Amino acid sequence: MTQAAPKPTKSNGLYAETVTIHPRKVKGTFRSAKWWLMVVLLAVYHLAPLIRWDRGPDAPSQAILADMAGRRGYFFFIEIWPQEVYYVTGLLLFAAIALFFMSALAGRVWCGFLCWQTVYTDLFVLVERLVVGDRNARVKLDRDPWTIEKLWKKGAVHTLWLLISLTCGIGFTLYFDDAFVTLRDLFTLQAGIGTWSAIAIVGGSCYLLAGFAREQVCLYMCPYSRFQSAMFDEHSLIISYEGWRGEPRGPARKGQGFEGRGHCIDCKMCVQACPTGIDIREGLQMACIGCGLCIDACNTMMDRVGLPRNLIRYDSNANLLAREKGEAAKTKLVRPRTMIYTAILTAVGAVMVFALSTRHTVDVNVLHERSPLFVQLSDGSIRNGYTYKVLNMVRRDRTFQLSTNGIAGATVQVVGETDGGTQALLQVPGDDVTAFRLYVTAPEASLQNSKTSLTLVLTDMADGHVVRSETLFAGPGR
Amino acid sequence: MASMEKDSVSGQYTTGHEWDGIRELNTPLPKWWVYVFWATVIWSIAYWVAMPAWPTINDYSRGVLGYASRNELESDIKAQKQARSKFEAKIAAISVDDVVKDKDLRNFAMTGGKVLFNDNCAPCHGTGGVGAPGAYPNLADDEWIWGGELADLKQTISFGVRNTNENSRQSEMPKFGADGLLTAEQINQVADYVVALSSKGSTAGLPGEAIFAEQCVVCHQDGGVGSKDVGSPALNNNIWLFKGSKEQVKQVVINQVTNPQHGSMPAWSERLDETSIKMLTVYVHSLGGGK
């Protein structure tokens, strides 16, 4: 499918002037959906860290928490350790494919409704409208000379923006430490420089990006608008203007019908409602974030002049062409593109669920001593040293039995714990990594080569769960 | 620069550049982007002034903020020393035996002792106390010439072996061959006896037995078990300091009886403080041979 050429440059300069866009207020289906989503998304963002989840006395009781200092990630019943960061990779992969899937089906739903840039820009524009007024009042205020009235109005807008940015920054920090403790520290001014810096960076970005940069973020910073066409096909839902019905456009006049001309009355409401300042009548373009506000604007005007709605509609290119030819439009959801995305989503989701449900609660790292590789004892037997780390990934103390397999007559000694024997008991506190220093001693007669394979067998005394680790036993050779 | 003109198809201005009749459309950069670029330039100039930046012939520009990564390192080292000092104070206050009993102190001493060992001891004894055959004893096996208990180890590390310190461990094996105390034939017989001892073979009826009982037992004890009091190594096992391979055992015994080699070790109390020696003791003890 084709995309319209970039908007012709109005000036012939080498650098483009940034014109502040003041979107006009509209009413309609898409505007309502955006209000509701804004409320829901902001509520989720601010309330999710407050949810509690009981994990026992020594563990954080916050349901969603990225505990950087404690090196743990918590999500309700899931608890991950730093070496399990691949769960986060899986989540990001899932999110990326879900974004592609969403785009293939329904266009830039993310950009128009869900992206934080959109949500906060919407909120900031709402503040402007409540303080200053609708589009015309805001454009006029920008043009007016500085007066007391302009000063207080602008001051009020920026104060409110900064307050919203502050809540945005505070909301972010609550995910990284206990929310109630952080809030208490913030209000009693006891929070550390790190917390304040995070609030300043996130809040400052919010103020800058939602207050000033706005559509410039979508046009020049975000990569997504540049590769959206890779996900689209002729069945993807996009914001589209039915040119065949609208053209030739012309203003509506009293007593004059619409026979012999298009339904577009060229009121430019769609342009004024657009948060990125484009004219959707030029076709699908990179700057269109798919929010549907031009549809609401156009439908309001169509109702007023008594013409059928949906001159601009949220529909696929295929349906657009079908209607132009007078054929029945039908939405095609099942197509190779959506099926492939569904398959990838299902696969990633299944792998994640499988990995999480079979997650190990104990892990072992074995490191063979390199210097000396082996030691001959006075009775002729050979001893090897190992560093043996046990990761107890549950929140209760556990007792393990360690034994060896593979070398006849081998004994194991844990420095500071046991003096030797065919097995040893290891105590590992809950939610902890304990390093043991092992000495495994084997009679020389049991060793054939300079390397013999040895299996260290760790058995959980409570539930019988076994972890086997293959390692090598070094000797002088024959 | 060629004149700017509008492209007739797109209605967009061109940059005025033309190649073989093809003209480039002007798609201008947003102005704020250019401002951001200039802001970074200004930032970099401020950075040159504020931070160390320019090399000079013998020095470099220091920057008005006075930042130096060396200062950061120094404050890090200071903080580390501060953190270590409470452990070191505890170790200084109690005996080595009590250090080993306390799990935290033991871990601290083993970690610190490893660093000290690698700095001071590893040149001779090797990393991990592996030793060097024919020169420096292995500290990871279970044979000790001067004793393997914590107190013995601490004594040996503090005062060394055969040096000028008055508390140094001293012993010397007589030059039985060189000084004519035994004949070559007798030395050969006693070497056969010692090889039999070490390989747990039968010693009955060996002519060397009588010579051993007469000349060697004083230091090496009955059955060649050795004595840590005089630093005489055990002869009844597989561990030989002055040995390369199995076949060389007998020749090594003959050489050692004829004209003995003696190793020497410095008194580390002359170079390290008491706490460091305690930490070293704990580390060496943990290498696997500690009694």
Side-chain angles (χ1 to χ4, degrees):
Chain A
M1 72 196 294
T2 55
Q3 290 201 14
K7 212 172 174 181
T9 325
K10 297 274 182 338
S11 78
N12 61 355
L14 288 174
Y15 303 112
E17 215 53 76
T18 306
V19 183
T20 312
I21 294 164
H22 288 296
R24 180 183 287 278
K25 179 188 172 189
V26 294
K27 275 186 180 162
T29 324
F30 292 97
R31 186 62 265 182
S32 304
K34 273 171 74 75
W35 287 139
W36 279 112
L37 277 168
M38 179 195 286
V39 171
V40 170
L41 292 170
L42 288 177
V44 167
Y45 174 62
H46 286 292
L47 298 180
L50 304 181
I51 305 170
R52 301 290 99 183
W53 190 266
D54 184 28
R55 294 190 183 88
D58 298 325
S61 57
Q62 187 160 319
I64 305 169
L65 178 65
D67 184 358
M68 295 292 179
R71 287 168 174 74
R72 296 283 182 275
Y74 301 98
F75 188 83
F76 294 93
F77 58 93
I78 302 169
E79 179 183 339
I80 64 168
W81 285 39
Q83 67 270 32
E84 297 174 296
V85 76
Y86 46 75
Y87 288 124
V88 179
T89 314
L91 194 66
L92 290 176
L93 187 63
F94 192 86
I97 304 292
L99 182 66
F100 298 167
F101 181 65
M102 218 191 292
S103 305
L105 277 186
R108 288 171 68 177
V109 184
W110 171 263
C111 301
F113 299 89
L114 304 174
C115 178
W116 39 84
Q117 175 67 23
T118 281
V119 168
Y120 276 100
T121 302
D122 243 12
L123 188 60
F124 276 39
V125 171
L126 175 67
V127 167
E128 276 187 299
R129 206 179 75 214
L130 293 179
V131 175
V132 183
D134 201 6
R135 176 182 155 86
N136 294 343
R138 299 206 297 273
V139 173
K140 184 175 175 299
L141 188 71
D142 276 0
R143 255 195 246 123
D144 281 351
W146 282 95
T147 58
I148 299 293
E149 193 203 357
K150 180 168 177 175
L151 199 66
W152 88 255
K153 276 185 174 170
K154 285 278 179 188
V157 164
H158 285 269
T159 309
L160 288 169
W161 282 0
L162 283 168
L163 280 174
I164 295 170
S165 304
L166 186 67
T167 64
C168 173
I170 291 174
F172 183 77
T173 58
L174 299 188
Y175 286 90
F176 297 91
D177 203 348
D178 188 88
F180 292 109
V181 175
T182 310
L183 284 173
R184 191 198 64 205
D185 288 351
L186 286 171
F187 283 109
T188 56
L189 300 179
Q190 288 174 331
I193 184 79
T195 312
W196 287 112
S197 309
I199 292 174
I201 291 169
V202 176
S205 304
C206 178
Y207 178 66
L208 192 68
L209 298 184
F212 302 91
R214 294 193 177 171
E215 80 289 343
Q216 300 288 313
V217 174
C218 312
L219 295 181
Y220 295 107
M221 297 184 200
C222 182
Y224 182 48
S225 59
R226 306 276 161 170
F227 65 80
Q228 58 162 334
S229 45
M231 268 91 66
F232 285 0
D233 57 26
E234 69 275 22
H235 296 292
S236 304
L237 298 181
I238 53 171
I239 312 287
S240 37
Y241 165 69
E242 298 200 318
W244 60 272
R245 189 186 131 195
E247 303 296 329
R249 62 183 81 153
R253 290 195 183 84
K254 271 211 168 82
Q256 190 183 336
F258 285 91
E259 291 78 28
R261 65 181 179 118
H263 285 180
C264 175
I265 57 171
D266 204 14
C267 60
K268 298 202 168 58
M269 284 300 151
C270 53
V271 180
Q272 293 181 10
C274 180
T276 65
I278 57 166
D279 188 344
I280 194 64
R281 294 172 299 178
E282 288 164 14
L284 176 68
Q285 48 206 287
M286 191 198 76
C288 176
I289 59 168
C291 64
L293 293 184
C294 52
I295 302 178
D296 285 346
C298 188
N299 282 345
T300 307
M301 294 314 291
M302 291 291 111
D303 289 351
R304 203 172 288 170
V305 296
L307 287 170
R309 292 182 141 221
N310 293 329
L311 179 59
I312 306 173
R313 61 199 303 160
Y314 201 6
D315 208 347
S316 70
N317 219 32
N319 284 354
L320 211 66
L321 291 172
R323 263 195 305 275
E324 186 172 0
K325 289 177 198 152
E327 296 163 8
K330 63 167 192 280
T331 306
K332 199 176 163 194
L333 294 179
V334 180
R335 27 187 228 271
R337 182 184 297 274
T338 57
M339 286 301 98
I340 289 168
Y341 288 147
T342 312
I344 300 175
L345 274 181
T346 316
V348 175
V351 168
M352 294 257 303
V353 168
F354 176 77
L356 275 172
S357 59
T358 57
R359 176 179 179 261
H360 294 305
T361 57
V362 57
D363 205 357
V364 166
N365 293 326
V366 186
L367 195 65
H368 189 279
E369 182 68 56
R370 292 184 185 184
S371 176
L373 272 176
F374 64 89
V375 170
Q376 183 156 43
L377 299 182
S378 54
D379 63 357
S381 58
I382 305 296
R383 194 186 64 203
N384 279 214
Y386 301 89
T387 302
Y388 190 74
K389 277 187 190 172
V390 182
L391 289 73
N392 182 5
M393 300 197 272
V394 292
R395 295 197 170 269
R396 62 182 151 82
D397 300 352
R398 290 207 273 183
T399 306
F400 297 97
Q401 180 187 288
L402 176 70
S403 56
T404 65
N405 201 351
I407 297 176
T411 60
V412 55
Q413 178 199 351
V414 185
V415 173
E417 309 278 337
T418 66
D419 287 338
T422 51
Q423 57 209 28
L425 286 184
L426 306 180
Q427 312 282 347
V428 186
D431 189 49
D432 197 18
V433 182
T434 306
F436 298 97
R437 194 161 161 72
L438 301 186
Y439 288 122
V440 177
T441 308
E444 205 178 359
S446 304
L447 308 172
Q448 295 304 322
N449 303 307
S450 57
K451 279 187 292 185
T452 313
S453 69
L454 174 74
T455 310
L456 295 170
V457 185
L458 190 74
T459 313
D460 187 342
M461 296 297 274
D463 60 14
H465 179 72
V466 173
V467 181
R468 289 168 203 280
S469 357
E470 296 291 329
T471 184
L472 287 174
F473 191 90
R478 292 258 159 133
Chain B
M1 200 173 178
S3 64
M4 305 264 195
E5 52 183 316
K6 268 191 179 179
D7 172 52
S8 58
V9 180
S10 65
Q12 199 170 341
Y13 276 99
T14 69
T15 57
H17 303 163
E18 186 176 331
W19 295 272
D20 299 339
I22 302 169
R23 277 164 299 164
E24 184 189 15
L25 293 180
N26 180 22
T27 310
L29 202 62
K31 260 194 185 146
W32 61 264
W33 200 298
V34 186
Y35 297 149
V36 170
F37 169 69
W38 285 113
T40 60
V41 172
I42 292 165
W43 172 266
S44 70
I45 293 170
Y47 205 90
W48 290 342
V49 178
M51 302 293 275
W54 292 99
T56 55
I57 302 290
N58 296 315
D59 198 23
Y60 57 90
S61 64
R62 300 277 166 173
V64 295
L65 291 185
Y67 173 84
S69 53
R70 185 168 287 275
N71 295 345
E72 238 171 46
L73 175 73
E74 268 166 19
S75 73
D76 282 359
I77 290 176
K78 211 181 219 175
Q80 280 291 321
K81 275 194 178 146
Q82 187 69 31
R84 284 204 301 260
S85 63
K86 67 172 187 202
F87 286 100
E88 287 171 347
K90 276 189 201 166
I91 291 176
I94 59 175
S95 73
V96 185
D97 293 87
D98 291 334
V99 171
V100 174
K101 279 177 201 143
D102 185 314
K103 196 172 181 181
D104 288 341
L105 287 184
R106 184 177 74 215
N107 281 335
F108 180 82
M110 275 166 66
T111 314
K114 184 176 185 177
V115 176
L116 287 164
F117 187 90
N118 289 344
D119 283 351
N120 298 293
C121 316
C124 292
H125 287 288
T127 348
V130 67
Y136 309 107
N138 185 329
L139 304 178
D141 65 22
D142 60 347
E143 181 182 326
W144 295 93
I145 298 171
W146 296 100
E149 295 188 17
L150 285 165
D152 301 326
L153 293 175
K154 185 158 175 277
Q155 174 78 16
T156 310
I157 296 170
S158 298
F159 303 111
V161 180
R162 295 184 199 98
N163 59 42
T164 53
N165 189 295
E166 60 177 359
N167 291 317
S168 165
R169 298 204 186 266
Q170 298 287 357
S171 73
E172 195 176 345
M173 179 158 163
K175 300 172 179 174
F176 289 99
D179 290 351
L181 299 173
L182 291 172
T183 65
E185 172 64 17
Q186 285 172 312
I187 290 174
N188 195 39
Q189 286 171 348
V190 89
D192 279 336
Y193 176 76
V194 169
V195 169
L197 269 183
S198 80
S199 59
K200 311 275 192 252
S202 169
T203 55
L206 285 178
E209 189 170 7
I211 305 163
F212 188 85
E214 196 177 300
Q215 303 286 351
C216 313
V217 160
V218 181
C219 292
H220 289 284
Q221 307 288 313
D222 268 336
V225 295
S227 166
K228 67 172 190 174
D229 297 329
V230 293
S232 58
L235 305 175
N236 64 339
N237 62 29
N238 281 307
I239 299 174
W240 297 94
L241 175 58
F242 297 107
K243 186 201 91 163
S245 71
K246 273 183 185 174
E247 293 69 31
Q248 296 167 352
V249 172
K250 186 179 170 187
Q251 190 53 49
V252 163
V253 174
I254 291 172
N255 293 347
Q256 198 67 4
V257 175
T258 310
N259 192 5
Q261 298 181 55
H262 291 107
S264 174
M265 170 172 159
W268 289 96
S269 60
E270 295 166 7
R271 309 189 193 181
L272 300 174
D273 61 39
E274 176 76 4
T275 310
S276 300
I277 287 180
K278 280 182 183 172
M279 285 168 33
L280 268 175
T281 306
V282 175
Y283 174 70
V284 171
H285 192 259
S286 79
L287 286 174
K291 304 273 183 190

